């Protein structure tokens, strides 16, 4: 199941192409971040793609393939390309990553960061995005269940 969430906490379960497209189109200051998660109890790990509309009107895209070490980031000025990436990821379209230069930023996420997000009962908790670092292009630092 796909779940889309924006920065203000609006959640769309079983997110469709139109819902994802509308959420992306509505990104603005104060609501500049969205996440699309793939939730599958039979598939362990965190599987998601997220977008941040930066102050310079570029789109920072990130996706995670199950584990923190497989966390990738890219940038684009094109809302159309950001939407194509979101929708391609959502339907697992072959080649959806093509056309971008993805950087593996998994080293920004240590296993201790992952462990710290778990509670005593073993359930993971979602943390707020972190948009800061020295070069202004840091990860959104999302931990999803």
């Amino acid at each position: 199941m796909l779940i889309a969430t924006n920065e203000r906490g609006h959640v769309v379960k079983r997110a469709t192409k139109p819902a994802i497209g509308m959420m992306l189109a509505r990104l603005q200051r104060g609501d500049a971040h969205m996440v699309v998660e793939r939730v599958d109890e039979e598939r362990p790990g965190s599987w998601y793609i997220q977008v941040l509309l930066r102050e310079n009107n570029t789109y920072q895209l990130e996706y995670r393939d199950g584990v923190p070490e497989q966390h990738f980031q890219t940038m684009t000025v094109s809302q159309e390309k950001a939407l194509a990436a979101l929708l391609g990821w959502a339907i697992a379209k072959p080649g959806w990553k093509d056309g971008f230069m993805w950087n593996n930023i998994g080293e920004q996420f240590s296993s201790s960061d992952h462990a710290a997000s778990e509670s005593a009962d073993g359930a993971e908790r979602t943390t707020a995005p972190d948009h800061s670092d020295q070069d202004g292009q840091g990860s959104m630092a999302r931990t999803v269940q």
Side-chain angles (χ1 to χ4, degrees):
M1 173 173 54
L2 295 177
I3 300 173
T5 308
N6 69 13
E7 186 172 338
R8 292 186 176 172
H10 177 73
V11 176
V12 177
K13 293 184 178 180
R14 292 177 174 68
T16 61
K17 287 181 183 182
I20 292 169
M22 186 66 70
M23 195 173 279
L24 178 67
R26 290 183 175 168
L27 292 183
Q28 60 185 336
R29 283 203 176 121
D31 189 14
H33 175 249
M34 66 175 287
V35 180
V36 180
E37 303 173 56
R38 181 169 286 119
V39 179
D40 182 349
E41 292 179 15
E42 296 177 16
R43 193 173 189 186
S46 296
W47 303 85
Y48 60 89
I49 188 166
Q50 57 188 351
V51 179
L52 170 67
L53 177 60
R54 301 186 65 83
E55 289 186 19
N56 63 359
N57 290 322
T58 59
Y59 294 89
Q60 178 177 321
L61 291 98
E62 296 182 12
Y63 74 93
R64 182 172 290 188
D65 275 348
V67 295
E69 295 78 18
Q70 294 296 308
H71 193 111
F72 299 87
Q73 178 185 83
T74 194
M75 302 280 210
T76 183
V77 296
S78 169
Q79 185 183 71
E80 184 177 316
K81 286 182 75 173
L83 179 59
L86 284 168
L87 297 178
W89 180 90
I91 64 171
K93 180 179 179 181
W96 71 266
K97 296 180 267 189
D98 298 348
F100 294 98
M101 291 180 50
W102 294 95
N103 299 304
N104 186 331
I105 60 168
E107 72 279 355
Q108 293 182 20
F109 306 96
S110 69
S111 58
S112 62
D113 289 342
H114 184 70
S117 70
E118 294 186 14
S119 66
D121 63 3
E124 290 186 28
R125 303 292 180 234
T126 302
T127 59
D130 176 9
H131 307 294
S132 62
D133 73 350
Q134 287 98 2
D135 67 1
Q137 295 183 10
S139 167
M140 291 173 252
R142 170 98 176 169
T143 303
V144 274
Q145 53 273 26

